[in-house]
Amino acid sequence: MKYSNPILRGFYPDPSVCMAEGKYYMVCSTFQYFPGVPVFESDDLVNWTQAGHCLTRKSQVMLENIRSSGGVFAPTIRYNNGRFYMVTTNDTLRRHFYVWTDNIYGEWSEPIFVDQDGIDPSLYFEDGRTFFISNGMDDFGENGIVQCEIDIETGRKLTESRVIWKGSGGRFLESPHMYKINGEYYLMAAEGGTEYGHMVTYARSRDIWGEFIGYPKNPVLTNRNKGGYSIQGVGHGDLVQDKYGDWHIIHLGFRQIGEWSTYHHLGREVFMTPVFFGENGWFTAGLDGTTTHEYEIQGDFTQNRKNLYTFENTQWDREWIYLRHPHEENYKLSENSLTLHGTSVTLDEAVSPTFLGIRQLDFNMELSVNVTSDGGESGITMYMDESHHYDLAFEKSADGSARVLLRLNIGDVKSVQNAVTVKSESARLIVRSDSFNYSFFVQDGETEAMLGKAQTRYLSSEVAGGFTGVVMGLYSVGDGSMARFSEFRCEYK
């Protein structure tokens, strides 16, 4: 059966996958957003359903005053002796920790910390022993892929941390994962930085402590030389064997907005590329070491794409996310409406505004929602970070008058592009997009007016920097104000 990439659209970076009891499970990074680290479940590696989040309590992760692209970095999920483990790094604190659960649909444990340098941690289990792997500096001041043995109950180190591989020579060696296949240890990593030079590399050894010998044709997977091709930034992967014995790399990549327009704003997404082992034990991946739009794999499945999202067909604790830890008293969530109580905190601050968002999953989209308020400002924001967001806002004045305005925030430039007076008590805010532009509208009664356009590239990682993607947020600003959102609809064309 054929499938198309990406297998998970939108801002779901740094995927890690494991198999347990006949199903596949995957986690992704969330950085400053909460709940942290979504968990997905699949029967076929192609269709993924969200099962929950790993980090659902304030006690599990510190997110206060964390700027965009700080916080929770690349997680790894592993299954051992009936228990799931998710290990990650709070990069702002530079601390590794893991949580565990015996019920993938339930709550996860409080964090257990491990004292080792670097980011992108991973776990490897063998014969009752647990090995902790990350990139960074070892106990002797050497940089590379670092490993120690730990007590999985406490996180205490049982050995010194030491470098086991220094990569193939690319910059930003990261994303280490260990596997044992046919009696040999395979150590897979990423190099080149999570941009256009990204790549997957690997090495193998007869001993878990090395010496690890790099694949002679590294990188095994990269799109770094495919100019004019929409899939770029391929790297940071995890190996998984399917039910038929075939191997695949689940990895990140991104789609640039045009053939020769090297910008991406949807974030790093999840792709899957087949792997082929040769008789000599080395493996290759993809089409001559590159990732393409479509592959054929074994299995009986139909790839499903959900293209309509509403309040009614989404779950508040699954698809929707907050900026940092929310002040829960400012949110009232119901089946078909959302009520937000505004504060003085704006979208430009690295704290917790009244904001609830859902990821933008594709380029061609129409988003609309009814909004009414008793004061302040409330509306839709196409949000990349504190300095890069487009706001379509319903503004209610003390005298009862109302207007809808379009504000563009691009770095240090903040500009109200247009504003129209609204005669009704509420308005329907509308955002339409393609690869290159967002277009903003307001519907007042039966009349629809366009407020303006803004280019998508100014919300891209190439302009804004960072590691996230556009999140479509419903927000409210203004002490003591209240806004109600209803008839939310986001449709992908």
Side-chain angles (χ1 to χ4, degrees), residues 94-107:
R94 304 298 292 183
R95 295 193 73 186
H96 300 301
F97 67 93
Y98 57 91
V99 293
W100 57 265
T101 186
D102 296 326
N103 176 13
I104 198 70
Y105 310 106
E107 290 288 308

Side-chain angles (χ1 to χ4, degrees), residues 23 48 50 131 142 157 178 221 227 257 275 291-292 328 344 381:
K23 291 182 180 290
W48 295 89
Q50 191 169 349
F131 296 87
E142 192 171 3
K157 288 171 62 173
M178 185 80 75
L221 184 67
I257 64 175
V275 165
T291 292
T292 65
E328 295 181 4
S344 61
T381 179

Side-chain angles (χ1 to χ4, degrees), residues 412-430:
D412 295 328
V413 179
K414 302 181 185 302
S415 173
V416 175
Q417 297 294 100
N418 199 359
V420 297
T421 300
V422 177
K423 299 177 182 178
S424 306
E425 289 297 313
S426 65
R428 187 160 187 82
L429 306 181
I430 305 168

